Amino acid sequence: MLNRTDIPVPALTLDDARLQVRLTADEHEYDADLTALINDVQSMAESELRCGLTDTSYRETLSGFPTSRWYLNRGRVKSIASIQYFDTANFLQTLTAYTLAESCGLAIISPGAGIDKFPDVTTRPDAVTVEYLSGFGKPSDVPDSIKRWMKLQIGNWFANRDAASEVSSKHALVTNPFLDGLIAEYRVRTYV
């Protein structure tokens, strides 16, 4: 199970969104809608790319360690805050001997040097928990092409907000080769 443990800083500002939908600085009628769209589109981008945009803390929980390599659900991992597990006696332990590597943006945790496997754990759904930081950094560190993708999504949803609300209360991604191309190079692969 993967959960955010903090609220990420938006990669776009309200002014960015206002400019995209061609509202003037004194038009505030849609501020709440645009703020919601910024958050929704950022979540969509993070799901599409499999990483935080701005630095975001995540907690990932498993029922046990993988055999030799652990591929985290989010890429572009900057740091591991902790890896904890319940040993076979059901006592909470902290794993300190591990290696964090990256391949194509994918974060991989392996047992530490000279260790061939992760420790044995008790049988429970939350036997292993890792907390980590994923993202490009500050909003200014998020690549411009990702921000362009987000702005185009916001512009589309804003322009079609009445039609979209009749069909579904959830936003859906607008896809086409141009839009996909804007973010393709930043997508974290699901395998190595």
Side-chain angles (χ1 to χ4, degrees), residues 161-179:
R161 64 191 174 279
D162 293 331
S165 64
E166 292 171 13
V167 175
S168 169
S169 61
K170 279 304 236 181
H171 300 288
L173 291 174
V174 175
T175 57
N176 72 39
F178 172 74
L179 285 177

Side-chain angles (χ1 to χ4, degrees), residues 81-101:
S82 70
I83 300 176
Q84 295 187 310
Y85 65 97
F86 288 94
D87 64 16
T88 55
N90 208 29
F91 290 109
L92 186 63
Q93 304 289 335
T94 299
L95 184 68
T96 56
Y98 63 87
T99 302
L100 174 63

